[in-house]
Amino acid sequence: MTSQQRPLLIPSPRTPGQEELPYTPVPGDSLIPISSYPKPTSGMDSNSQIEINENSYQVPGFVRNSSSHRSISSIQSKTSSGHSVREVNLSEMSMRTVRYGSSGTDFGGVSTSYKEINDEDARLVYINDPGRTNEKFEFTGNSIRTSKYSVLTFLPRNLFEQFHRIAYIYFLVIAILNQLPQLAVFGREASILPLAFVLFVTAVKDAYEDYRRHRSDKIENNRLAWVLQDDKFQQKKWKNIRVGEIIKVYGNETLPCDMVLLSTSDTTGVAYVQTTNLDGESNLKTRYAKQETQTKNPEKERITGLIKCEKPNRNIYGFQANMDLDGKRISLGPSNVILRGCELKNTDWAIGVAVYAGRETKAMLNNSGAPSKRSRLESRMNREIIFLSIFLVTLCTIVCICHGVWLRRHKDELDLMQFYRKKDYSEPEVENYEYYGWGMEIFFVFLMSVIVFQVMIPISLYISMELVRVGQAYFMIRDDRMLDKSSNSRFQCRALNINEDLGQIKYVFSDKTGTLTENKMEFQCASIGGIDYSNGKDITDNGQADNLVQADGMVLRPKMKVKVDLELFNLSKRKHTDEGRHIHNFFVALAACNTIVPLTIDTSDPSVKLIEYQGESPDEQALVYAAAAYGFMLIERTSGHIVIEIQGERQRFNVLGLHEFDSDRKRMSVILGCPDKTVKVFVKGADTSMFSVIDKSSNANIVKATEAHLHSYSSKGLRTLVIGTRELSASEFEQWQSSYESASTALMGRAALLRKVANNVENHLNILGASGIEDKLQEGVPEAIESLRMAGIKVWVLTGDKQETAISIGYSSKLLTSRMTQIVINKNSKESCRKSLEDALLLCKKLTTVSHATHGGPTAEVSRLALIIDGTSLVYILDTELEEQLFELASKCAVVLCCRVAPLQKAGIVALIKNRTEDMTLAIGDGANDVSMIQKADVGIGISGQEGRQAVMASDFAMGQFRFLVPLLLVHGHWNYQRMSYMILYNFYRNAVLVLVLFWYVLFTSFTLTTAITDWSSVLYSVIYTSLPTIVVGILDKDLSRTTLLKYPQLYGAGQRQESYNSKLFWVTILDTLWQSIAAFFVPLLAYWESEVDGSSIGDLWTVAVVIMVNIHLAMDVFRWYWITHAAIWGSIIATFICVMIIDAIPVLPGYWAFFEIAGTKLFWVCLLSITVGALLPHFVVKVIVQYSSPSDLQIAREAEKFRSPRELRHTQIEMNPIFYDRRRT
Amino acid sequence: MPSGDGSTKSSTKTSKKPQYSRFTQQELPACKPILTPGLVMAAFLILGLAFIPIGLSHLSASDNVVQLIDRYDEACFPASSSNPEEANGKRISYIQDDKTDKTCTRNLTVPQKMKQPIFVYYQLDEFYQNHRRYVRSRNDQQYRSASAERKTANCDPEAEVNGNPIVPCGLIAWSLFNDTYSLSRNDIALPINKNGIAWESDKTSRFGSDVYPKNFQTRSPIGGGKLNEKIPLNQQEDLLVWMRTATLPSFRKLYGRIETDLEENEIIKVVIQNNYNTYTFSGKKKLVISTTTWIGGKNDFLGRVYVTVGGICLLIAITYIIFYLVRPRPLGDPAYLSWNKVPASN
């Protein structure tokens, strides 16, 4: 039977046939539910590894954890009915609807029952008969196209896509309006040019990118694969592979399409694949060929059969299918498919049948970009854009009404006015010449004024912002201080539109495992039989414990060294004492009760081989390495048995059954046929779940002692697991076997049935002991947290860990200090939650008033509160009216630790803050369980660490370590925010100045929208004259140096308080704009009043004056002058002069030679000087006054940076640090 | 590799050895100007001290300009009526009548000695030479070369007469100002030099030397002056001046130069041919005789601006110095940082 059940062993989806679980636990680090896509997900909270070790199997748990308010009922329904049917529907529903816990979707679809696979929903694949397979429905071929365009479709499609941007549509509408002869304000070319330019540049960029994609597609499509043709494997190009064909893949080759495994070089049908390209996980995953097909050789005997599988979907961890082969129906699960993009490893060859090809493969379906978010600044900016639009409409209305009045007043004179000439006499019949009646004229004037004043809406701003963000991203990516040297991974900007949000973060929600900690598990200590062994030492050097295993003249050595407790090491060698037997069982359990695959690696010394344990959970790896260090070396694992080298003696255990981890049971077990012919069940799991199944009566002392040890372990921050065992009697075993068999072949409700079987056998266990694994804190975490706290950022830790572990990590990361008052909420009912929340709030109030009374400063005291709340309580709080209270409480606490939270709850907590405050939230995490919160938060950061790339894929930014958060937020975030805010305000100002200057002139032209500034100049204004400096400043300007920003994290508060961009600043800017436009327009106007100056000359003066003024305005606000800044600003002014000269050197334009004439007069230059000084004087004066009399922190820091010596700074640092300050005071 | 798209990219990125560069680390050498009190005071003082003299010299220049302005459109109208509308109607019919003699004589007194060159301008008020319909009604290509005489785009409604192009076409040319002035002093004619009143660039490159007026002002209504069809456009300087459209509805255009000095209290007799119709839209016509300086005509606005701005700068500088002495703030003093202020207030 075991051989039939091979899938059992598999790391993950080892339950045979998983049809009903679309999201089934996944192999490898699999725990990761697919996160980035609307996915069921969830459940897997890798953090709970602590006790569970096999985090991966928690899947169903999500049902319970995920959405709090319904949890109870769903749990009940699940346990009572035991129909996995339901779960399936749950998960399917959730796939579509549930995004995070607090969204509170109800599971309306629970009752619809699941039926195998409907023919309609299925794809039928006839094995080795591609013709028939593709007969009815033409399935997609295997050629892929990641390119978007072909030569023919490029133009229309690219334009279509570009015009998705609202800004371009605005551009286009204005340009089209301008083409109407009645409305032609600008020359046709002039009005089309900017749009055409932008479209052209983008099109060229797109074309180039697409060309590269074409090229890589071509390479990809022309790769060769061995395909069964005429009963022989022959080479065929990838693009010609069709669904239904049988394909042979050799080791280290890439898989060409999604295939169901038929057979592999391994006799048991195992194939290892590396899925780096798919999910970024570098460990090997095991895939299985079904026994029924394993034996067949397609080259010799013809395989015919029908695979009925689900329609292509993007769930890379799910697959359900049936295979009808030789009259038998075999069910297939995710463990039986190998996916395109993966590489076959450690397997000589594998044969499979193509089921999904080309763009229907899971890899391709998953090939989508990161979700796009919108930055806070940009949404804020929209409000101001609306103001500007209103302003624009007002200007246009003024113009058109005035024009109407003017027309009315002169209506009798229009016919003969030399400059109007309403009538056209050139034809015999006298007609109106371009006069469409009073109403229409007004309407046309309105439209024309929209065209003339179009730049009031700073369209170019959107384009500049994109460029600036690219530039900022470049510098963030290239920053050496955010380079993780150990993994050589750079910072990644995946979302390009929220750079500036990094400067305004108020809440950081952090995952613990892998984010704060390294997620490199290290076995630290064990409690075996009630005795604590925790004196581990690194003793590999003295050779004593250097346990090598001699095999076939080879020496095997574990790849990782583990600290070994000498006493335990020696005891473990005594086999015949009770103690020794206990220890023996303990380590056998560690070595066997897992899903680790040992791999041997060659070393430079041919006689020595390293043995490496590959597996999905780092805890399991740590345990197996620990077992190996104590002489229990797992050296072989196949489907039916494992081989453990025990103290130099090779022993073979038959694996009779394995109950994978699930989050209900929170434990896993394996049933072993031992060499001594006994059958034992070994169980390991979380302490809570284990103590309920341990027989406490027989070994009460040990249980008690173990509990005490567990407590001390977890308070040291160790992750603990409890291990138990029991010998099964023959009858018990038979009973188990039959129910196991029937459960695992059941067509419906298999998972629940298996769980039931597991529950039956996992009881009355003898306790073996407990293990303690250290999850090491990452480098620099406490310092980083300290900095963030000083920067006024609240750090919340959300973890799946136990309360004790969470608190201990809290202490070691300096999140918690001993002076803090801890409020702990871990309650099991809504009422008790309400009660404790109320109590806590009262306590808060009391503390606040006390501190008021004694110190007068509320902030310091209240910030000493720490809230610790667990997932169960959150179930009762989130999505209920208690949320409000929790929010109130949490916002008063300096630190919030949430332990035992499910992934969707993490998102719920983020939403708790996000929905109630304007504050910016940032979520950082590394695992699939963090995906929901990463997506929910304003800024999501993925740590590219041990747990795969799910978090990174869903994130906006990705980086190597938690501590990079400090430079990212405090330095880059601050800069980006400050630069972008200034840039937006400046662009508003820049465009409005020009519009107002145009507007003032319109008032002197009988409201007919003549522009003194030439068409070309007004078009080039935002393209050449003034665009480059703002972009350069937006990318390069730094208000403060990196050192200063890091030294005083408090400076970050400027962004949180929105100091650089707010309504007040906007209106001040608008006032300034108004003044500057008046100065720039009226000085020349009055200086040339009643003179013989012509329109073009004074127009050139206006052009030059506005450009100089606007550029010097920018120059006055630049903090740091690089040569590039100089070049951009002065270069723009020079470029303007050159452009104006060129325009005026074209004889057919009305302004021919005007600039040269006017620039030859002294008055021109005197005017220019007075405009520049007069216009900018208020700006300068206000700046000076503000900086001198009420300097901002940034300003003081800037001065200090320049004038205070570094020594002096160090001296004063202590008093600047509120934390130190607090300490002194108390 | 489809799915590898991201990862291959990142792997190439990561495989690059991080090479230190001051550029990528944003550590380029930079100048960090800070507005120190000294700098601010210096800036204001320098501005103030520089602006006031410029302003004063400007004012004096403006003061030195002597100008004579005479509005003659009303005065040169012989009959007048108490009813303004009726009067206006009469004016229009008067001006539109080709046959009447529109000569008008004005006597002007020179207020101060005027040194040559003295410029004679005509000034029109309420004439929107910057009206959109008007400024666009021209075609510079046609003016430039004889071969382009059919290019009359934009020139409507003065583009063609019976299918023949009008040269120069367009409303601007059509409405050419055609009052003439002849000056005399003590019955001795004062010659007005009309050469070189247009821009050199207009004469050499903008208007063609081979383009002769054609079909110009041959059809009613007649907008203004006629052109001598024997003289190429680039020699018709009055036209060239007129075609430089003015900035504002009140504008002056150069009529010619008097190249002798005029003495104080001399009486200048001006004989005006009052041809140009401004009565239809109540425009004003003025004759301006003025000397110029480096600032052009009489205009003291800019001088006042300079003096005011300079004065304000000095005032600010003084205020700032006082403020600085009363409440000095050491630059970069950490005590002023907001988080250090809170405990201080306790």
Side-chain angles (χ1 to χ4, degrees), chain A residues 220 364 421 433-434 478 488 1001 1010 1038 1086-1087 1121 1150 1152 1166 1193 1199 1202 1216, chain B residues 1-2 14 25-27 31-32 130 133 156 158 206 244 247 299 306 332 334 338:
Chain A
E220 179 95 357
M364 295 304 292
R421 267 297 291 271
Y433 167 65
E434 286 192 7
R478 308 293 301 182
N488 200 17
Y1001 186 60
T1010 317
K1038 302 196 297 188
L1086 295 173
W1121 286 87
Y1152 179 67
V1166 176
D1193 292 342
E1199 292 164 2
K1202 187 156 181 181
M1216 297 195 186
Chain B
M1 174 89 302
T14 53
Q25 300 312 308
Q26 304 197 55
E27 283 168 2
C31 159
K32 300 176 278 180
N130 58 13
R133 289 168 75 101
D156 284 329
E158 287 296 325
R206 197 173 189 195
R244 282 276 163 195
T247 320
N299 191 331
Y306 268 91
S338 62

Short mmCIF file of all heavy atoms in Angstrom, two decimals, chain A residues 220 364 421 433-434 478 488 1001 1010 1038 1086-1087 1121 1150 1152 1166 1193 1199 1202 1216, chain B residues 1-2 14 25-27 31-32 130 133 156 158 206 244 247 299 306 332 334 338:
data_model
loop_
_atom_site.label_atom_id
_atom_site.label_comp_id
_atom_site.label_asym_id
_atom_site.label_seq_id
_atom_site.Cartn_x
_atom_site.Cartn_y
_atom_site.Cartn_z
N GLU A 220 12.96 32.24 -27.07
CA GLU A 220 12.20 31.31 -26.24
C GLU A 220 11.41 30.32 -27.10
O GLU A 220 11.43 29.12 -26.88
CB GLU A 220 11.24 32.14 -25.37
CG GLU A 220 10.36 31.34 -24.46
CD GLU A 220 10.94 31.20 -23.07
OE1 GLU A 220 12.06 31.69 -22.86
OE2 GLU A 220 10.28 30.58 -22.23
N MET A 364 2.82 32.01 -17.48
CA MET A 364 2.45 33.16 -18.29
C MET A 364 1.26 33.89 -17.69
O MET A 364 1.19 35.11 -17.73
CB MET A 364 2.12 32.72 -19.72
CG MET A 364 3.27 32.14 -20.47
SD MET A 364 4.67 33.27 -20.55
CE MET A 364 4.00 34.53 -21.60
N ARG A 421 -13.90 94.60 -39.11
CA ARG A 421 -14.41 94.25 -40.43
C ARG A 421 -15.36 93.06 -40.39
O ARG A 421 -15.07 91.95 -40.79
CB ARG A 421 -13.26 93.91 -41.39
CG ARG A 421 -12.77 95.08 -42.20
CD ARG A 421 -13.81 95.63 -43.12
NE ARG A 421 -14.13 94.76 -44.22
CZ ARG A 421 -13.50 94.74 -45.38
NH1 ARG A 421 -12.51 95.56 -45.59
NH2 ARG A 421 -13.89 93.92 -46.32
N TYR A 433 -18.28 88.31 -42.21
CA TYR A 433 -16.98 87.67 -42.29
C TYR A 433 -16.60 87.12 -40.91
O TYR A 433 -16.39 87.89 -39.97
CB TYR A 433 -15.93 88.67 -42.78
CG TYR A 433 -14.54 88.17 -42.59
CD1 TYR A 433 -14.09 87.05 -43.29
CD2 TYR A 433 -13.67 88.79 -41.69
CE1 TYR A 433 -12.82 86.57 -43.10
CE2 TYR A 433 -12.40 88.31 -41.49
CZ TYR A 433 -11.98 87.21 -42.20
OH TYR A 433 -10.72 86.72 -42.00
N GLU A 434 -16.50 85.81 -40.85
CA GLU A 434 -16.17 85.15 -39.58
C GLU A 434 -16.91 85.74 -38.40
O GLU A 434 -16.34 86.02 -37.35
CB GLU A 434 -14.65 85.21 -39.33
CG GLU A 434 -13.89 84.26 -40.20
CD GLU A 434 -12.44 84.10 -39.77
OE1 GLU A 434 -12.08 84.63 -38.71
OE2 GLU A 434 -11.70 83.42 -40.50
N ARG A 478 20.44 52.56 -6.57
CA ARG A 478 21.90 52.54 -6.59
C ARG A 478 22.52 52.83 -5.23
O ARG A 478 23.73 52.86 -5.12
CB ARG A 478 22.44 53.58 -7.59
CG ARG A 478 21.87 53.51 -8.96
CD ARG A 478 22.27 52.28 -9.69
NE ARG A 478 23.71 52.17 -9.81
CZ ARG A 478 24.33 51.20 -10.44
NH1 ARG A 478 23.64 50.24 -10.98
NH2 ARG A 478 25.64 51.17 -10.52
N ASN A 488 23.76 40.19 -1.77
CA ASN A 488 24.03 41.06 -2.91
C ASN A 488 22.75 41.51 -3.59
O ASN A 488 22.66 41.60 -4.81
CB ASN A 488 24.94 40.35 -3.92
CG ASN A 488 25.62 41.35 -4.82
OD1 ASN A 488 25.67 42.54 -4.51
ND2 ASN A 488 26.14 40.89 -5.93
N TYR A 1001 -2.84 90.32 -20.67
CA TYR A 1001 -2.74 90.93 -21.99
C TYR A 1001 -4.09 90.88 -22.71
O TYR A 1001 -4.46 91.82 -23.41
CB TYR A 1001 -1.66 90.24 -22.82
CG TYR A 1001 -1.43 90.95 -24.13
CD1 TYR A 1001 -1.03 92.28 -24.16
CD2 TYR A 1001 -1.66 90.31 -25.34
CE1 TYR A 1001 -0.85 92.95 -25.34
CE2 TYR A 1001 -1.49 90.98 -26.54
CZ TYR A 1001 -1.07 92.30 -26.53
OH TYR A 1001 -0.91 92.98 -27.71
N THR A 1010 -5.60 87.57 -28.26
CA THR A 1010 -4.33 87.69 -28.95
C THR A 1010 -3.26 87.45 -27.91
O THR A 1010 -3.42 87.84 -26.75
CB THR A 1010 -4.17 89.11 -29.50
OG1 THR A 1010 -5.40 89.47 -30.06
CG2 THR A 1010 -3.05 89.18 -30.50
N LYS A 1038 18.80 68.21 -2.38
CA LYS A 1038 18.74 67.60 -1.06
C LYS A 1038 18.68 68.71 -0.04
O LYS A 1038 19.58 69.55 0.02
CB LYS A 1038 19.98 66.75 -0.79
CG LYS A 1038 20.20 65.68 -1.81
CD LYS A 1038 21.18 64.64 -1.32
CE LYS A 1038 22.55 65.20 -1.07
NZ LYS A 1038 23.53 64.15 -0.78
N LEU A 1086 3.63 99.33 -18.59
CA LEU A 1086 3.62 100.74 -18.22
C LEU A 1086 4.89 101.43 -18.66
O LEU A 1086 4.89 102.62 -18.98
CB LEU A 1086 3.41 100.88 -16.71
CG LEU A 1086 2.05 100.36 -16.26
CD1 LEU A 1086 1.93 100.35 -14.75
CD2 LEU A 1086 0.93 101.21 -16.87
N ALA A 1087 5.98 100.68 -18.70
CA ALA A 1087 7.23 101.30 -19.14
C ALA A 1087 7.15 101.65 -20.62
O ALA A 1087 7.77 102.60 -21.06
CB ALA A 1087 8.40 100.35 -18.88
N TRP A 1121 23.55 73.21 -4.76
CA TRP A 1121 23.89 73.50 -6.15
C TRP A 1121 24.96 72.54 -6.64
O TRP A 1121 26.11 72.64 -6.23
CB TRP A 1121 24.39 74.93 -6.28
CG TRP A 1121 23.31 75.94 -6.17
CD1 TRP A 1121 22.82 76.49 -5.04
CD2 TRP A 1121 22.57 76.52 -7.25
NE1 TRP A 1121 21.82 77.37 -5.32
CE2 TRP A 1121 21.64 77.41 -6.68
CE3 TRP A 1121 22.58 76.37 -8.64
CZ2 TRP A 1121 20.76 78.16 -7.44
CZ3 TRP A 1121 21.70 77.11 -9.40
CH2 TRP A 1121 20.80 77.99 -8.80
N PRO A 1150 5.33 86.95 -37.75
CA PRO A 1150 5.08 88.38 -37.56
C PRO A 1150 6.14 89.07 -36.69
O PRO A 1150 6.34 90.27 -36.79
CB PRO A 1150 3.71 88.43 -36.88
CG PRO A 1150 3.25 87.04 -36.72
CD PRO A 1150 4.22 86.11 -37.31
N TYR A 1152 9.27 89.00 -36.79
CA TYR A 1152 10.61 88.96 -37.37
C TYR A 1152 11.51 90.08 -36.87
O TYR A 1152 11.17 91.25 -36.94
CB TYR A 1152 10.50 89.00 -38.90
CG TYR A 1152 11.84 88.97 -39.59
CD1 TYR A 1152 12.64 87.84 -39.51
CD2 TYR A 1152 12.29 90.07 -40.30
CE1 TYR A 1152 13.87 87.82 -40.13
CE2 TYR A 1152 13.52 90.06 -40.92
CZ TYR A 1152 14.32 88.93 -40.83
OH TYR A 1152 15.54 88.90 -41.43
N VAL A 1166 16.80 97.28 -18.60
CA VAL A 1166 16.39 97.89 -17.34
C VAL A 1166 15.06 97.29 -16.89
O VAL A 1166 14.85 96.97 -15.71
CB VAL A 1166 16.30 99.42 -17.51
CG1 VAL A 1166 15.77 100.06 -16.23
CG2 VAL A 1166 17.65 100.00 -17.86
N ASP A 1193 12.54 73.07 11.78
CA ASP A 1193 13.61 72.18 12.22
C ASP A 1193 14.59 71.94 11.09
O ASP A 1193 15.81 71.88 11.28
CB ASP A 1193 13.02 70.85 12.67
CG ASP A 1193 12.20 71.00 13.93
OD1 ASP A 1193 12.37 72.03 14.61
OD2 ASP A 1193 11.40 70.10 14.22
N GLU A 1199 21.32 74.84 8.84
CA GLU A 1199 22.33 75.79 9.30
C GLU A 1199 23.40 75.08 10.10
O GLU A 1199 24.59 75.32 9.93
CB GLU A 1199 21.67 76.87 10.15
CG GLU A 1199 20.75 77.77 9.37
CD GLU A 1199 19.82 78.57 10.27
OE1 GLU A 1199 19.92 78.45 11.52
OE2 GLU A 1199 18.99 79.31 9.74
N LYS A 1202 25.91 73.37 8.16
CA LYS A 1202 26.91 74.19 7.51
C LYS A 1202 27.84 74.88 8.49
O LYS A 1202 29.03 75.01 8.24
CB LYS A 1202 26.22 75.25 6.64
CG LYS A 1202 27.20 76.02 5.81
CD LYS A 1202 26.58 76.64 4.58
CE LYS A 1202 27.64 77.38 3.80
NZ LYS A 1202 27.11 78.03 2.62
N MET A 1216 19.22 66.32 22.30
CA MET A 1216 18.25 66.35 21.24
C MET A 1216 17.44 65.09 21.19
O MET A 1216 16.54 64.94 20.39
CB MET A 1216 18.95 66.46 19.92
CG MET A 1216 19.71 67.70 19.79
SD MET A 1216 20.08 67.86 18.10
CE MET A 1216 21.10 69.25 18.18
N MET B 1 12.45 34.22 -21.19
CA MET B 1 11.71 33.41 -20.20
C MET B 1 10.59 34.25 -19.65
O MET B 1 10.82 35.29 -19.08
CB MET B 1 12.67 33.04 -19.08
CG MET B 1 12.00 32.35 -17.95
SD MET B 1 11.95 30.60 -18.15
CE MET B 1 11.11 30.35 -19.63
N PRO B 2 9.42 33.83 -19.86
CA PRO B 2 8.29 34.68 -19.50
C PRO B 2 8.28 35.06 -18.03
O PRO B 2 8.34 36.21 -17.68
CB PRO B 2 7.08 33.82 -19.83
CG PRO B 2 7.59 32.42 -19.96
CD PRO B 2 9.02 32.52 -20.34
N THR B 14 21.61 42.56 -9.73
CA THR B 14 22.34 42.24 -8.51
C THR B 14 23.74 41.75 -8.82
O THR B 14 24.64 41.92 -8.03
CB THR B 14 21.61 41.17 -7.70
OG1 THR B 14 21.36 40.08 -8.57
CG2 THR B 14 20.32 41.68 -7.15
N GLN B 25 25.72 57.81 -5.46
CA GLN B 25 25.49 57.94 -4.03
C GLN B 25 25.05 59.35 -3.68
O GLN B 25 24.98 59.71 -2.52
CB GLN B 25 26.74 57.56 -3.25
CG GLN B 25 27.20 56.13 -3.49
CD GLN B 25 26.06 55.15 -3.37
OE1 GLN B 25 25.35 55.14 -2.38
NE2 GLN B 25 25.86 54.31 -4.38
N GLN B 26 24.79 60.13 -4.67
CA GLN B 26 24.34 61.50 -4.49
C GLN B 26 25.30 62.28 -3.61
O GLN B 26 24.90 62.95 -2.67
CB GLN B 26 22.95 61.54 -3.88
CG GLN B 26 21.94 60.75 -4.69
CD GLN B 26 20.53 61.13 -4.32
OE1 GLN B 26 20.17 62.28 -4.37
NE2 GLN B 26 19.73 60.15 -3.98
N GLU B 27 26.57 62.13 -3.88
CA GLU B 27 27.54 62.84 -3.07
C GLU B 27 28.42 63.74 -3.92
O GLU B 27 29.58 63.96 -3.60
CB GLU B 27 28.38 61.84 -2.28
CG GLU B 27 27.61 61.30 -1.09
CD GLU B 27 28.27 60.11 -0.45
OE1 GLU B 27 29.36 59.73 -0.92
OE2 GLU B 27 27.71 59.57 0.50
N CYS B 31 27.36 73.19 -3.62
CA CYS B 31 27.39 74.42 -2.84
C CYS B 31 26.06 74.51 -2.13
O CYS B 31 25.01 74.26 -2.70
CB CYS B 31 27.62 75.57 -3.80
SG CYS B 31 27.10 77.13 -3.16
N LYS B 32 26.09 74.81 -0.82
CA LYS B 32 24.85 74.86 -0.06
C LYS B 32 24.66 76.27 0.47
O LYS B 32 25.04 76.57 1.59
CB LYS B 32 24.92 73.89 1.12
CG LYS B 32 25.12 72.46 0.72
CD LYS B 32 25.26 71.57 1.93
CE LYS B 32 26.66 71.60 2.47
NZ LYS B 32 26.85 70.75 3.64
N ASN B 130 -4.19 95.16 -31.91
CA ASN B 130 -3.87 93.82 -31.41
C ASN B 130 -5.10 92.93 -31.38
O ASN B 130 -5.11 91.90 -30.74
CB ASN B 130 -3.24 93.90 -30.02
CG ASN B 130 -4.15 94.62 -29.04
OD1 ASN B 130 -5.33 94.85 -29.33
ND2 ASN B 130 -3.62 94.97 -27.88
N ARG B 133 -8.66 89.28 -34.81
CA ARG B 133 -9.03 89.22 -36.21
C ARG B 133 -8.05 90.02 -37.06
O ARG B 133 -7.80 89.71 -38.21
CB ARG B 133 -10.43 89.83 -36.40
CG ARG B 133 -11.53 89.00 -35.85
CD ARG B 133 -12.80 89.83 -35.81
NE ARG B 133 -13.40 90.00 -37.13
CZ ARG B 133 -14.43 89.29 -37.56
NH1 ARG B 133 -14.96 88.37 -36.81
NH2 ARG B 133 -14.95 89.50 -38.75
N ASP B 156 -8.18 87.08 -45.70
CA ASP B 156 -9.60 87.45 -45.82
C ASP B 156 -9.94 88.45 -44.73
O ASP B 156 -9.40 88.41 -43.64
CB ASP B 156 -10.47 86.21 -45.65
CG ASP B 156 -10.44 85.37 -46.92
OD1 ASP B 156 -10.29 85.98 -48.00
OD2 ASP B 156 -10.52 84.14 -46.82
N GLU B 158 -9.72 90.75 -47.11
CA GLU B 158 -9.06 91.61 -48.09
C GLU B 158 -8.00 90.80 -48.82
O GLU B 158 -6.82 91.12 -48.80
CB GLU B 158 -8.44 92.83 -47.40
CG GLU B 158 -9.44 93.87 -46.95
CD GLU B 158 -10.20 94.51 -48.10
OE1 GLU B 158 -9.61 94.69 -49.19
OE2 GLU B 158 -11.40 94.82 -47.93
N ARG B 206 12.24 91.39 -44.88
CA ARG B 206 10.88 90.95 -44.66
C ARG B 206 9.97 91.34 -45.83
O ARG B 206 9.08 90.58 -46.20
CB ARG B 206 10.36 91.60 -43.40
CG ARG B 206 9.13 90.88 -42.91
CD ARG B 206 8.77 91.44 -41.60
NE ARG B 206 7.73 90.68 -40.98
CZ ARG B 206 7.04 91.14 -39.95
NH1 ARG B 206 7.33 92.33 -39.48
NH2 ARG B 206 6.12 90.41 -39.42
N ARG B 244 3.93 96.81 -38.40
CA ARG B 244 4.39 96.34 -37.08
C ARG B 244 3.26 96.61 -36.12
O ARG B 244 3.15 97.71 -35.57
CB ARG B 244 5.63 97.13 -36.64
CG ARG B 244 6.88 96.71 -37.28
CD ARG B 244 7.46 95.55 -36.53
NE ARG B 244 8.46 94.88 -37.36
CZ ARG B 244 8.94 93.67 -37.10
NH1 ARG B 244 8.49 93.00 -36.06
NH2 ARG B 244 9.83 93.12 -37.87
N THR B 247 1.26 97.02 -29.59
CA THR B 247 0.94 96.18 -28.44
C THR B 247 -0.43 96.47 -27.87
O THR B 247 -1.15 95.58 -27.47
CB THR B 247 1.95 96.46 -27.31
OG1 THR B 247 3.23 96.62 -27.88
CG2 THR B 247 1.95 95.36 -26.30
N ASN B 299 8.41 108.82 -20.07
CA ASN B 299 7.75 107.78 -19.26
C ASN B 299 8.56 107.59 -17.99
O ASN B 299 9.65 107.06 -18.01
CB ASN B 299 7.67 106.47 -20.05
CG ASN B 299 6.77 105.47 -19.35
OD1 ASN B 299 6.65 105.48 -18.13
ND2 ASN B 299 6.14 104.63 -20.14
N TYR B 306 12.01 101.79 -9.89
CA TYR B 306 13.36 101.58 -9.37
C TYR B 306 13.55 102.27 -8.04
O TYR B 306 14.09 101.70 -7.10
CB TYR B 306 14.39 102.07 -10.39
CG TYR B 306 14.84 100.97 -11.31
CD1 TYR B 306 14.19 100.73 -12.51
CD2 TYR B 306 15.91 100.15 -10.96
CE1 TYR B 306 14.59 99.70 -13.34
CE2 TYR B 306 16.31 99.12 -11.78
CZ TYR B 306 15.65 98.91 -12.98
OH TYR B 306 16.05 97.89 -13.77
N GLY B 332 21.77 77.65 13.38
CA GLY B 332 22.01 76.23 13.62
C GLY B 332 22.08 75.87 15.08
O GLY B 332 22.66 74.86 15.45
N PRO B 334 20.90 74.15 18.12
CA PRO B 334 19.96 73.04 18.31
C PRO B 334 18.86 73.36 19.31
O PRO B 334 17.83 72.71 19.31
CB PRO B 334 20.84 71.91 18.85
CG PRO B 334 22.24 72.36 18.73
CD PRO B 334 22.26 73.82 18.48
N SER B 338 12.43 71.91 17.34
CA SER B 338 11.11 71.83 17.98
C SER B 338 11.08 70.83 19.12
O SER B 338 10.48 71.07 20.14
CB SER B 338 10.06 71.47 16.93
OG SER B 338 10.35 70.20 16.40
#
